[in-house]
């Protein structure tokens, strides 16, 4: 089996496999990013791979290897010439991401930073993705290995896509400037893995930022951050689940009251809680204790509940 390799060391130019265009290849020899399909496009800093699940756009600087099976390609050459795959084309990887705006995308094919969500916006070096569990996630484009639009997902999700599109987000020309707008807020750095962190973000000197979580203090630089979001990881999913449980319990309670009223046939006045704000504060306290998150994160949840999540994200 013949193999072609892509390697990037520092600022060395990338050798792209133009001769393999139109052939069946395997990207990576293993791992979550490893996929086999037809190499349908080769550009300055990315390649496009047509697979049975959709077209995957790989950022070339992260590709470690590309392998070809020449015997298979020779047998399938006539068939592949007849196949037509619809895909986006641009001069660079950022351009491809711009073409995917307002679509449901899969960031990376697997690993700690793999995430599915609605691509809301693309800046010069970062992308804004709306997710169901973490809310708005800001991805450093430099660290994105691949992106794709799974087939038929937009039509299947329907209302879910509409809800994701409704989330508001903050904006900045560049990724490092985004950090300055997040200072003094509780943030989550990276999605999973050993480099995932949470805490209060404080600006430092020389472009560095400090992340404080209880007694631990971390010094980080935006260049090495893969993604960042407001609030604890998974807070939006937990918040939605908590609201669903509260609504369910409330409905069950109302049904029990109705049944008891019918049995006793008594005309009793239903007592209404007039202290709505105090009740909200109590719910917030219970939610913070349930999620087991620091008090600063509780303040963030408080803003979400009282003012609406979209407004809270915009304020920060």
């Amino acid at each position: 089996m013949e193999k072609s390799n892509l390697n990037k060391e520092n600022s060395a130019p990338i050798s792209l496999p133009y001769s393999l265009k139109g052939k069946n290849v395997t990207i990576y020899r293993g791992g979550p990013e490893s996929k086999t399909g037809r190499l349908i496009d080769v550009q300055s800093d990315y390649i496009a791979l047509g697979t049975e699940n959709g077209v995957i756009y790989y950022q070339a600087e992260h590709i470690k290897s590309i392998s070809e099976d020449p015997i298979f390609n020779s047998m399938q050459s006539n068939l592949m010439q007849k196949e037509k795959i619809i895909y986006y084309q641009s001069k660079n990887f950022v351009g491809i991401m711009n073409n995917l705006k307002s679509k449901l995308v899969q960031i990376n094919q697997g690993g700690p930073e793999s995430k599915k969500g609605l691509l809301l916006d693309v800046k010069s070096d970062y992308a804004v993705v709306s997710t169901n569990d973490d809310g708005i996630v800001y991805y450093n484009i430099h660290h994105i290995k691949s992106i794709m639009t799974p087939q038929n997902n937009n039509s299947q999700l329907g209302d879910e896509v509409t809800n994701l599109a409704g989330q508001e987000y903050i904006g900045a020309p560049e990724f490092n400037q985004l950090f300055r707008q997040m200072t003094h807020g509780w943030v989550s750095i990276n999605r999973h893995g050993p480099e995932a962190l949470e805490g209060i973000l404080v600006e430092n000197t020389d472009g560095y930022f400090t992340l404080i979580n209880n007694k631990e203090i971390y010094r980080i630089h935006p260049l090495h951050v893969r993604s960042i979001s407001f609030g604890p990881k998974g807070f939006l999913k937990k918040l939605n689940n908590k609201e669903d449980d509260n609504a369910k319990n409330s409905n069950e309670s109302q049904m029990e009251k109705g049944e008891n009223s019918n049995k006793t046939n008594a005309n009793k006045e239903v007592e209404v809680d007039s202290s709505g704000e105090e009740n909200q504060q109590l719910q917030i306290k219970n939610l913070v204790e349930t999620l087991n998150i620091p008090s600063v994160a509780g303040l963030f949840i408080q803003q979400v509940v009282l003012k609406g999540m979209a407004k809270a994200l915009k304020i920060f």
Side-chain angles (χ1 to χ4, degrees):
M1 181 178 291
E2 183 181 333
K3 299 179 181 179
S4 299
N5 295 319
L6 291 180
N7 294 308
K8 181 178 181 181
E9 297 180 1
N10 300 326
S11 59
I14 303 172
S15 178
L16 294 172
Y18 294 99
S19 61
L20 295 179
K21 186 176 178 180
K23 297 182 179 181
N24 203 70
V25 299
T26 298
I27 309 297
Y28 292 89
R29 297 180 61 184
E33 292 292 336
S34 178
K35 301 293 179 182
T36 298
R38 180 182 173 188
L39 186 61
I40 56 179
D41 196 14
V42 179
Q43 294 295 331
S44 61
D45 64 350
Y46 78 91
I47 63 174
L49 185 74
T51 71
E52 59 181 7
N53 295 323
V55 178
I56 305 174
Y57 303 91
Y58 285 96
Q59 192 163 195
E61 64 178 287
H62 295 291
I63 299 177
K64 297 180 180 179
S65 67
I66 297 180
S67 59
E68 175 203 1
D69 187 341
I71 298 178
F72 177 85
N73 282 330
S74 63
M75 294 173 60
Q76 298 294 322
S77 59
N78 294 331
L79 178 61
M80 289 196 301
Q81 292 297 329
K82 297 179 181 179
E83 294 178 350
K84 292 184 179 180
I85 302 177
I86 300 175
Y87 63 97
Y88 293 99
Q89 191 173 45
S90 183
K91 294 181 179 179
N92 51 47
F93 189 71
V94 174
I96 282 295
M97 297 197 69
N98 272 296
N99 287 330
L100 299 179
K101 282 171 60 173
S102 302
K103 295 184 180 296
L104 194 73
V105 298
Q106 174 76 43
I107 302 292
N108 296 338
Q109 305 309 298
E113 293 301 317
S114 178
K115 200 78 173 175
K116 182 183 291 185
L118 193 66
L119 184 59
L120 297 181
D121 201 1
V122 178
K123 300 297 184 180
S124 61
D125 61 351
Y126 75 92
V128 183
V129 180
S130 177
T131 71
N132 279 322
D133 48 1
D134 292 333
I136 300 296
V137 180
Y138 304 87
Y139 273 93
N140 186 339
I141 292 181
H142 173 71
H143 293 290
I144 294 178
K145 295 180 179 180
S146 65
I147 186 171
M148 73 174 297
T149 54
Q151 289 182 344
N152 301 326
N153 49 26
N154 287 336
S155 59
Q156 291 176 354
L157 290 178
D159 294 339
E160 184 177 353
V161 172
T162 302
N163 294 334
L164 291 174
Q167 298 190 38
E168 296 188 24
Y169 56 92
I170 61 177
E174 297 178 353
F175 192 63
N176 61 343
Q177 297 177 13
L178 191 68
F179 274 60
R180 294 188 177 93
Q181 298 191 40
M182 291 183 168
T183 55
H184 307 138
W186 187 277
V187 300
S188 296
I189 303 285
N190 301 334
R191 300 300 90 204
H192 301 285
E195 297 301 321
L197 302 170
E198 289 186 12
I200 304 173
L201 187 66
V202 181
E203 186 174 6
N204 210 322
T205 57
D206 300 327
Y208 281 86
F209 288 81
T210 299
L211 197 69
I212 304 172
N213 188 338
N214 295 327
K215 297 181 181 180
E216 296 180 315
I217 299 177
Y218 305 93
R219 199 165 181 236
I220 57 177
H221 195 286
L223 177 65
H224 304 292
V225 173
R226 296 180 177 88
S227 64
I228 185 171
S229 62
F230 276 118
K233 283 188 290 291
F235 86 92
L236 184 56
K237 183 177 181 180
K238 294 177 182 178
L239 180 62
N240 290 334
N241 290 340
K242 185 67 176 181
E243 291 177 346
D244 292 341
D245 291 341
N246 289 340
K248 181 179 180 181
N249 293 335
S250 177
N251 292 335
E252 291 177 352
S253 178
Q254 291 296 329
M255 292 177 62
E256 290 178 0
K257 288 182 180 179
E259 292 175 358
N260 293 333
S261 177
N262 292 333
K263 289 179 181 179
T264 59
N265 196 24
N267 295 323
K268 295 183 179 180
E269 181 179 0
V270 179
E271 182 178 355
V272 179
D273 184 8
S274 60
S275 57
E277 185 174 351
E278 294 179 3
N279 187 43
Q280 279 186 329
Q281 296 290 345
L282 180 60
Q283 290 181 7
I284 294 167
K285 181 179 179 181
N286 293 336
L287 176 60
V288 172
E289 292 175 354
T290 302
L291 297 180
N292 191 26
I293 56 180
S295 58
V296 175
L299 294 177
F300 178 81
I301 297 298
Q302 179 176 351
Q303 292 194 24
V304 171
V305 176
L306 295 180
K307 301 178 182 179
M309 186 185 67
K311 185 180 293 185
L313 293 178
K314 188 174 182 181
I315 288 176
F316 279 106

